[in-house]
Amino acid sequence: MAVAETQLYAKVSNKRRSKSPSALLESLLAKGFPAHIAQKALVATGQKSIDDAAKWLHSHSNDPSLDDPIPQEYALYLCPTGHLYNCLQDFWKESERQCGKNRAHEVFPHITLCDFFTCEDQKVELLYDIMKRICNSFAQRFPPTISLSLHSSTSYLGFFVGDSHANILKEFAAAFSSEASAMADCHVKPCLKQLHLTLAHKFCPHHQKTLEQLAKCINPGETCHWVAALYSRDMRFVHYQTLRALFQYKPQNIDELMINVGDFIYVNPMQQSNVSEGWVIGTSHQTGCRGFLPENYTERASESDTWVKHREHAFVPDPKFFTQSASEPNVKLNGEVHNLVMSRSVTDVLSLQYTGLRRGVLVMRHGERVDQVFGKSWLQQCLSADGKYYRADLNFPSALPKRKDRMKHFEHDPPLSSCGVFQSRLIGEALLDQEVTVSYVYSSPALRCIQTAQHVLQGLKLDQKVKIRVEPGLFEWTKWEASKVIPSFMTLTELTEASYNIDTSYRGNIPLTSLVPSESYEEYVCRSSAVIKEIIAACPSKGKGVILIVGHGSSLASFTWPLMGLPARDSSDFAQMVRKIPSLGMCYCEELEEEKKWLMVSPPVKTLTHGANAAFNWRNIIMED
């Protein structure tokens, strides 16, 4: 960034608002709002403008906590900008793609100067004055560059601030804390331990090497100026998950929550045990109202997405810092030579490292099952008086496959709905578009899984080339079977006669007769681990193709964790996780053959999200008096 641009940025970002917070409060009071509510609205919007505060008050008109004297929590951060920030963002994106999210993804890149503390709404303006005064007093002492060295452990990866620069930052934090504690009556705790900029935190230990390789692509000497920023968050939802609405949802019942695209919802994972499958109960960040909403209308958001930035101050480096010639690009940082002008980005390096095809395992839940839509009594809804099947709704399958035993067995081994068939074929077509090569297909013996595998293969145009291996060991945890007995599945002969492309020569690793009703969690974990190891051993690694496993919601974790060498979760945590997996939810593991391990990465295609469609009777609705 040029010197002039840097100075202009500092001038704009440090400029006082046209109206002081006191003037904003007076304007709201003149409109008739009570003082405590007006102050809450100003704090919730960063005390930026009357319009922002008025909009907040309007949207929170039905907020049951509007009168509660609950203060915000504040923290003081030092945030990078410029080229260094861009490199960090590249790392954030690529580390999530390869290793999934970790705790560092919840917040933007920063160095914490003061831990979160509370401040009463009427005293927040004092924090602004204190911050401005302290920033001005340290402006000349602030280092033009901050030395950063990479440190790594099994649960943490990040840059540590060099001691000489860390001491100045700690003095800055201590000065702010001391004045804020004295003048604004806050208990502020400065960060006096090792100052750091976190890259990854609380990740799976087997991801450490991959994350380290990505982190080494970051040049900590990239052009950067630092910004001290004061943020706040709602202390009531600190340990909640944050969701972002992907679609609008209009409540059908009084206990449901209205959401619009882009809304944020706070969800407490500990309060979801009694909520119906596919639904969550949460509190809207936009309105403060609480209610039920469909989970597949949302996606996980970052914790900091709902934080409010109050004030910031840019520290402008000495102009001499920018005079380095491009003809002298190489400097030594952290013991290694880096190029300050043309450092290779994270994504550029990865494009060179990961071009080779690897063997992969794609674990997929089956498509929408008919009883998921029409309930457990679905079969009674489409049987005539003489016991023959008919299509009572277009989402019922057009026909049921023939089986020698009684049709009643379909109750515990239900087929896909018509939408489930369409979903499965759509996933297959998406895999074809991404040129995914499926070499082997394994399926649970449940009819819905076999049908899903068949229609995915049809979408891939492989239904006549790749046969489905029916593996009894892929069936879900039998404790979750409502009938308390193992369902009576269709035989391989019946499946073949029904035109399913079954590999009749395949013999399962776990015989069907060995499945026991109501097995313990430990038995299920042991079965799953044994089966996935046998499947991997049976599929040659030289093929480099994808092994498709079609199973149940529980399959996504139970077959990938042992593959990656991870221990099983607690059974209650496992159940909470499984209930969040939608129809055709999937996860993907790649083999790092040279390192003899498997790594979970993003699936080759996106998730399929769709909304509910209620039953419609024209006579009762259109012709209703």
Side-chain angles (χ1 to χ4, degrees):
M1 184 179 289
V3 178
E5 292 175 335
T6 303
Q7 292 173 339
L8 178 61
Y9 177 88
K11 183 177 180 180
V12 172
S13 63
N14 298 333
K15 186 179 180 181
R16 185 90 172 179
R17 267 62 174 181
S18 59
K19 279 194 174 184
S20 69
S22 298
L24 295 176
L25 177 60
E26 290 173 3
S27 298
L28 289 177
L29 294 177
K31 294 178 181 293
F33 292 108
H36 68 289
I37 291 179
Q39 287 171 335
K40 176 176 280 194
L42 287 171
V43 166
T45 56
Q47 303 209 21
K48 295 179 176 66
S49 71
I50 288 293
D51 288 342
D52 288 345
K55 288 177 182 177
W56 188 92
L57 287 166
H58 176 73
S59 63
H60 284 259
S61 58
N62 295 318
D63 185 347
S65 65
L66 192 60
D67 286 313
D68 294 345
I70 303 172
Q72 294 274 304
E73 282 189 325
Y74 298 82
L76 184 62
Y77 287 164
L78 190 65
C79 304
T81 64
H83 293 305
L84 178 58
Y85 174 80
N86 294 334
C87 291
L88 292 169
Q89 287 298 100
D90 286 342
F91 171 86
W92 247 252
K93 293 175 184 177
E94 195 57 36
S95 64
E96 180 181 355
R97 188 189 74 82
Q98 289 203 43
C99 305
K101 280 193 171 185
N102 59 68
R103 282 292 298 168
H105 288 104
E106 293 292 327
V107 186
F108 43 81
H110 69 278
I111 297 172
T112 302
L113 298 179
C114 296
D115 292 333
F116 274 101
F117 60 92
T118 58
C119 180
E120 296 176 15
D121 292 345
Q122 65 270 25
K123 296 181 180 179
V124 173
E125 188 176 356
L126 294 173
L127 293 181
Y128 301 164
D129 294 334
I130 293 166
M131 178 180 170
K132 181 181 180 182
R133 185 164 57 254
I134 299 299
C135 286
N136 288 337
S137 66
F138 274 79
Q140 299 302 316
R141 298 180 57 198
F142 197 86
T145 61
I146 294 179
S147 61
L148 300 171
S149 58
L150 187 63
H151 285 255
S152 177
S153 71
T154 55
S155 63
Y156 175 83
L157 179 71
F159 290 119
F160 281 6
V161 179
D163 288 343
S164 60
H165 294 160
N167 289 336
I168 297 175
L169 299 184
K170 289 177 182 179
E171 286 183 41
F172 174 81
F176 174 84
S177 301
S178 177
E179 288 209 30
S181 299
M183 298 182 64
D185 197 24
C186 303
H187 180 63
V188 185
K189 183 180 178 182
C191 291
L192 301 178
K193 295 182 180 180
Q194 176 67 63
L195 296 184
H196 56 274
L197 191 157
T198 299
L199 297 176
H201 181 44
K202 291 188 177 179
F203 49 83
C204 295
H206 69 279
H207 287 154
Q208 182 181 357
K209 187 173 181 180
T210 301
L211 291 169
E212 285 177 353
Q213 290 175 341
L214 296 177
K216 288 177 181 178
C217 300
I218 303 172
N219 175 11
E222 284 283 7
T223 305
C224 171
H225 65 249
W226 295 85
V227 175
L230 184 68
Y231 285 88
S232 75
R233 67 183 182 185
D234 193 323
M235 63 185 297
R236 295 174 298 168
F237 306 112
V238 170
H239 299 296
Y240 284 47
Q241 290 179 351
T242 305
L243 304 180
R244 180 189 291 106
L246 296 171
F247 310 99
Q248 183 186 58
Y249 180 74
K250 295 182 179 179
Q252 308 295 313
N253 297 291
I254 194 171
D255 58 353
E256 294 175 1
L257 187 65
M258 172 73 181
I259 58 174
N260 292 301
V261 177
D263 285 357
F264 293 104
I265 303 99
Y266 300 111
V267 172
N268 185 349
M270 306 304 293
Q271 296 177 352
Q272 308 304 314
S273 56
N274 296 322
V275 180
S276 301
E277 183 177 0
W279 291 77
V280 293
I281 185 168
T283 302
S284 169
H285 171 73
Q286 278 68 25
T287 65
C289 297
R290 191 167 185 264
F292 294 92
L293 65 146
E295 188 173 16
N296 63 354
Y297 276 50
T298 66
E299 65 177 357
R300 279 292 300 272
S302 299
E303 176 186 336
S304 60
D305 286 344
T306 59
W307 292 3
V308 177
K309 182 190 286 186
H310 287 258
R311 294 293 184 270
E312 63 179 16
H313 180 98
F315 290 99
V316 183
D318 191 292
K320 290 182 293 183
F321 175 67
F322 296 102
T323 60
Q324 181 175 0
S325 171
S327 64
E328 303 173 321
N330 295 328
V331 296
K332 196 167 185 180
L333 296 167
N334 305 333
E336 298 181 11
V337 175
H338 293 270
N339 187 310
L340 288 179
V341 180
M342 293 294 291
S343 64
R344 181 181 291 167
S345 72
V346 175
T347 49
D348 288 340
V349 173
L350 286 164
S351 65
L352 298 177
Q353 289 179 329
Y354 295 96
T355 53
L357 292 175
R358 293 194 173 103
R359 185 165 60 151
V361 173
L362 181 61
V363 185
M364 181 185 301
R365 188 188 181 189
H366 56 77
E368 181 183 84
R369 47 194 276 182
V370 70
D371 60 335
Q372 188 178 332
V373 183
F374 299 102
K376 295 178 181 179
S377 62
W378 69 273
L379 194 56
Q380 284 71 44
Q381 300 174 43
C382 51
L383 288 180
S384 61
D386 57 357
K388 292 183 178 180
Y389 175 83
Y390 72 96
R391 198 177 194 181
D393 185 285
L394 286 180
N395 203 19
F396 280 111
S398 57
L400 294 178
K402 293 182 180 179
R403 55 191 302 172
K404 295 178 182 177
D405 52 17
R406 295 181 301 161
M407 187 176 289
K408 187 174 178 62
H409 286 305
F410 282 121
E411 285 188 348
H412 302 302
D413 185 25
L416 293 179
S417 66
S418 295
C419 286
V421 170
F422 169 75
Q423 293 169 343
S424 303
R425 195 166 298 155
L426 191 64
I427 291 292
E429 292 171 355
L431 291 169
L432 180 64
D433 288 341
Q434 295 300 316
E435 300 181 350
V436 175
T437 303
V438 172
S439 302
Y440 305 92
V441 178
Y442 288 81
S443 172
S444 160
L447 177 58
R448 56 193 179 273
C449 298
I450 294 169
Q451 289 179 321
T452 299
Q454 177 83 0
H455 292 293
V456 168
L457 286 173
Q458 286 179 1
L460 275 162
K461 298 183 179 179
L462 291 175
D463 50 312
Q464 300 303 316
K465 298 179 182 178
V466 179
K467 293 183 179 292
I468 301 169
R469 296 177 175 180
V470 179
E471 173 55 64
L474 295 177
F475 189 58
E476 67 181 342
W477 186 11
T478 60
K479 180 182 177 181
W480 287 344
E481 276 298 297
S483 62
K484 303 303 179 185
V485 296
I486 303 300
S488 178
F489 301 116
M490 293 179 66
T491 65
L492 298 185
T493 301
E494 288 173 335
L495 291 167
T496 303
E497 290 175 351
S499 299
Y500 297 111
N501 195 21
I502 304 298
D503 184 350
T504 54
S505 65
Y506 176 76
R507 295 294 176 264
N509 296 292
I510 303 286
L512 191 59
T513 53
S514 68
L515 292 179
V516 296
S518 301
E519 65 187 331
S520 68
Y521 181 58
E522 290 72 22
E523 289 172 329
Y524 172 67
V525 168
C526 184
R527 162 163 67 93
S528 301
S529 179
V531 168
I532 190 62
K533 290 177 182 176
E534 292 292 340
I535 288 176
I536 296 301
C539 300
S541 59
K542 294 181 180 180
K544 303 295 185 186
V546 171
I547 304 167
L548 173 61
I549 295 177
V550 182
H552 308 267
S554 56
S555 304
L556 272 68
S558 61
F559 298 123
T560 56
W561 286 341
L563 194 61
M564 295 185 292
L566 299 179
R569 288 189 183 182
D570 178 83
S571 59
S572 59
D573 292 338
F574 178 76
Q576 285 288 339
M577 178 202 62
V578 170
R579 61 179 295 278
K580 298 177 181 179
I581 298 172
S583 299
L584 288 166
M586 66 185 83
C587 57
Y588 186 66
C589 290
E590 271 188 356
E591 183 183 32
L592 305 182
E593 192 173 4
E594 63 280 3
E595 299 175 26
K596 296 182 179 180
K597 69 178 184 180
W598 290 80
L599 188 70
M600 187 173 290
V601 298
S602 296
V605 296
K606 298 294 184 181
T607 302
L608 174 66
T609 305
H610 63 90
N613 193 51
F616 171 69
N617 187 309
W618 64 271
R619 189 185 304 278
N620 295 341
I621 297 177
I622 305 301
M623 300 300 292
E624 185 179 23
D625 291 336

